[in-house]
Amino acid sequence: MRFASAAAATALLAGACSGSDSGSEAVAPPLSAQQEIGASEGRLNIVTWAGYAEDGTTDKTVDWVTPFTRATGCQVRSKVADTSDSMVALMKTGQYDGVSASGDASLRLIYGGDVAPVNTGLLSNYPDIAPYLKNQPYNSVNDQMYGAPHGYGANVLMYRTDKMPQKPTSWSVVWDKNSPAANHVTAYDSPIYIADAALYLKAHRPDLKIQDVYELDEKQFNAAVDLLKQQRPNINQYWHSYIDELQSFKSADNYAGTAWEVTANLAKDEGVPVDTTIPTEGATGWSDTWMISSKAQNPNCMYKWMNWITTPRVQSQVGQWFGQAPANPKACRYTASGFCATYHVGDAEFYKRIAFWKTPVADCGDDRGTTCVDYSRWAQAWTEIKG
């Protein structure tokens, strides 16, 4: 895997949102959206989260890429990235036609000119996408969409039920030094994890007056960083790849930590005694959007892919394999009984309860003005936290 260092991430943000340090408003480059979908170019190069472009290699019964190629003639080459920083770095090379970007990458890609506006009129399933996923701060600018919503989910607390027989109700199991999981805790290896600390403080330190865990002023940010430094001795693993976390839970090296539902699904399939929960403090989460490169060499195939991946049947396949709510609620016609209820598909109120990733910028979005800590500082602090 290819990863962006904290220093590289800082440079990436500076290039993408150059106005963040000075307090000036970032401006998206004047790029045009495609007006029609032409003939297939015969190939498609995409950057994806693991599990988003399955071709039968991982599991021969899990394959929505091969049918896409048969239907369109677009041969798919996917590059799996384990962090949003890695996705931004890969897209900047200009070698890829599109990306399944999360909210902590998408604004950097938009303001950096790395992705183009999307003509939603060319997206055949766009009318069926859940309305609350459209025109969000992480996938649009001035009501111009920059992609096709894909799916969303929470960063859940996963724990080994044999080591922690009582279901945890609080994220304190990963923060308290006297936790039964102490020294066996996992955490996602990304600067955006600072938001998880802020989420915990929002509930337990009301004096900090944290409203948005991605809009932290100096006092709030320093409190989150201090909490992460206090947590550091309890951390047994910072994970990039969910496969690494899976292995650590299988071997019982780790007992609890933030995880994606796909990790728990795979662990349970292999007989590992794990379960997941969203504690009382809530959870951070991801809402992903397929975005097209402004330098796409195969734009027609990318639009065809966005149309394919948002069809109800394929949405059901991706959602059930990865463990996420499909963006298209019509996927529920094809999912197993109970799946859509479990993942709150189409549930706008559940969506509002999750603190979805977004790029931290200097503008706090309220009367504090431009006093919030931007992503470049988050990246620097993350290096210091890990030591």
Side-chain angles (χ1 to χ4, degrees), residues 27-276:
V27 178
L31 301 172
S32 299
Q34 191 165 328
Q35 295 304 302
E36 62 180 14
I37 302 176
S40 164
E41 296 92 353
R43 66 179 59 224
L44 176 67
N45 299 316
I46 51 177
V47 178
T48 79
W49 290 110
Y52 277 17
E54 292 296 307
D55 62 0
T57 302
T58 306
D59 183 327
K60 64 181 181 180
T61 66
V62 180
D63 182 358
W64 50 87
V65 169
T66 303
F68 168 74
T69 298
R70 289 181 186 145
T72 65
C74 302
Q75 296 285 338
V76 179
R77 181 173 71 90
S78 61
K79 171 69 174 179
V80 172
D82 291 328
T83 68
S84 288
D85 287 346
S86 181
M87 286 187 170
V88 173
L90 289 167
M91 288 300 290
K92 281 192 171 296
T93 67
Q95 298 175 19
Y96 298 90
D97 301 304
V99 59
S100 60
S102 295
D104 58 330
S106 50
L107 283 184
R108 286 184 275 167
L109 294 169
I110 292 171
Y111 289 119
D114 300 304
V115 293
V118 162
N119 183 347
T120 58
L122 300 180
L123 302 180
S124 53
N125 302 295
Y126 192 75
D128 297 328
I129 300 295
Y132 53 83
L133 299 177
K134 302 173 183 178
N135 296 312
Q136 291 299 309
Y138 53 80
N139 61 18
S140 69
V141 174
N142 296 326
D143 293 325
Q144 170 61 62
M145 281 293 292
Y146 278 78
H150 169 80
Y152 59 95
N155 294 315
V156 297
L157 171 61
M158 183 168 73
Y159 62 99
R160 279 194 63 117
T161 55
D162 56 339
K163 302 296 183 181
M164 303 177 66
Q166 286 191 319
K167 183 178 182 177
T169 59
S170 170
W171 282 106
S172 61
V173 297
V174 304
W175 299 111
D176 290 354
K177 64 180 180 179
N178 296 321
S179 163
N183 303 315
H184 299 279
V185 173
T186 68
Y188 186 48
D189 190 1
S190 169
I192 209 66
Y193 185 66
I194 294 173
D196 290 67
L199 185 78
Y200 186 74
L201 292 172
K202 181 180 179 181
H204 296 274
R205 286 279 310 277
D207 58 297
L208 290 171
K209 299 180 180 179
I210 295 173
Q211 297 298 318
D212 187 316
V213 298
Y214 305 101
E215 296 173 355
L216 305 176
D217 59 30
E218 288 288 343
K219 182 179 179 180
Q220 296 165 342
F221 180 76
N222 290 336
V225 170
D226 287 344
L227 179 59
L228 285 156
K229 289 180 177 178
Q230 293 170 30
Q231 182 199 41
R232 182 66 183 91
N234 273 358
I235 296 292
N236 187 45
Q237 179 193 43
Y238 287 111
W239 58 274
H240 283 299
S241 167
Y242 72 83
I243 296 299
D244 293 339
E245 185 183 34
L246 171 63
Q247 294 301 324
S248 74
F249 271 80
K250 286 174 62 177
S251 62
D253 289 336
N254 291 318
Y255 304 166
T258 184
W260 299 332
E261 198 65 49
V262 64
T263 316
N265 292 344
L266 291 171
K268 290 175 182 177
D269 288 345
E270 297 187 34
V272 183
V274 300
D275 203 353
T276 62

